[in-house]
């Protein structure tokens, strides 16, 4: 029993250590995205002591897009993907096991010690996944902030009125900004947990197995059939 307890304790520590590493990576990505969103603002760039430049030249827009692409790829990618995918699949498996146990006998479900352990693991994994979803969605919002490009377009229109002799050059920059805005809208999609929801296999398992199990649990507890 002592050896079994130590083995489970070591495995649990290793697993949660990898989860903490993944969360730290997400926090770094959010920090990069936050600072990137401030480089076109003089006040915020001065506050966070980062370089500042305006998107008033084609070269600046090119640098801005290149920097955005570089920061999004910065840091470990595949290893973090494996950790997040493993956590998602483990949470999915535990949820299925708990639903099956409740269907088997919901009155005696909490009498077993391993069911309590399953519930604790499921709660911990769900909190971790919710944290990652929150960080990931905020990171995506920072990189997909189209208002920066729209603000620069307004500044260009105002500058055209003040400097009509540079209207042709400014119009070229404005067209590039419009194309960049369309490009970002096409490339960026709402945040997903590293493509897990896009995977057809995982999507079908979640929809068919888990939702069916949840539907069966609710129907068993309430006494009438419910389709989720």
């Amino acid at each position: 029993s002592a050896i079994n307890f130590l083995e489970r304790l070591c495995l649990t520590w290793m697993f949660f250590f990898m989860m903490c590493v993944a969360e730290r990576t997400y926090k770094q990505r959010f920090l990069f995205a936050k600072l990137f969103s401030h480089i076109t603002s003089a006040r915020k760039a001065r506050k966070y002591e980062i370089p500042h430049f305006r998107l008033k030249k084609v070269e600046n827009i090119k640098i801005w897009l290149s920097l955005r692409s570089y920061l999004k790829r910065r840091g470990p990618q595949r290893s973090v993907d494996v950790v997040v995918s493993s956590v998602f699949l483990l949470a999915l498996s535990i949820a299925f096991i708990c639903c099956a146990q409740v269907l088997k006998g919901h009155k005696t479900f909490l009498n077993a010690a391993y069911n309590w352990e399953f519930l604790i693991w499921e709660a911990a994994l769900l909190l971790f996944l919710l944290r990652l979803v929150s960080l990931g969605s905020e990171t995506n919002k920072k990189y997909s902030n189209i208002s920066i490009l729209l603000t620069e377009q307004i500044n260009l229109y105002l500058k055209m009125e003040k400097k009509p002799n540079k209207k042709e050059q400014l119009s070229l920059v404005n067209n590039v900004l419009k194309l960049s805005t369309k490009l970002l809208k096409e490339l960026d999609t709402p945040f997903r947990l590293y493509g897990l929801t896009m995977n057809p296999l995982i999507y079908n398992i979640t929809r068919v197995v888990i939702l069916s199990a949840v539907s069966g649990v609710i129907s068993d507890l309430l006494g009438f059939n419910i389709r989720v």
Side-chain angles (χ1 to χ4, degrees), residues 26-36 139:
Y26 270 68
K27 288 181 179 179
Q28 289 179 346
R29 292 174 182 174
F30 174 68
L31 177 61
F32 293 151
K34 180 180 178 181
L35 295 178
F36 173 76
T139 302

Side-chain angles (χ1 to χ4, degrees), residues 155-187:
N155 293 332
L156 286 176
Y157 281 120
L158 296 177
K159 189 172 293 186
M160 286 180 191
E161 295 182 357
K162 294 181 179 180
K163 299 179 180 180
N165 57 327
K166 294 185 178 181
K167 186 175 182 180
E168 183 177 354
Q169 180 182 357
L170 295 176
S171 298
L172 176 62
V173 178
N174 186 47
N175 292 333
V176 175
L177 283 175
K178 290 181 179 179
L179 292 175
S180 301
T181 304
K182 293 180 180 179
L183 179 63
L184 294 184
K185 289 181 179 180
E186 291 291 333
L187 292 179

Side-chain angles (χ1 to χ4, degrees), residues 76-152:
Q77 299 288 336
R78 186 171 300 178
S79 57
V80 176
D81 291 352
V82 172
V83 173
V84 176
S85 301
S86 302
V87 172
F88 182 81
L89 293 176
L90 182 59
L92 204 64
S93 302
I94 293 177
F96 175 73
I97 293 173
C98 291
C99 290
Q101 292 289 336
V102 171
L103 288 176
K104 185 178 180 181
H106 63 272
K107 294 183 179 179
T108 59
F109 175 75
L110 297 178
N111 294 338
Y114 58 85
N115 287 333
W116 281 100
E117 186 176 358
F118 280 144
L119 291 176
I120 294 174
W121 268 90
E122 184 69 12
L125 295 178
L126 288 179
L127 288 175
F128 172 75
L129 290 175
L130 289 175
R131 175 62 175 165
L132 290 189
V133 168
S134 176
L135 287 172
S137 61
E138 291 298 325
T139 302
N140 189 71
K141 288 179 182 178
K142 295 295 183 181
Y143 282 124
S144 305
N145 191 5
I146 307 299
S147 61
I148 296 176
L149 300 179
L150 296 177
T151 302
E152 294 295 337

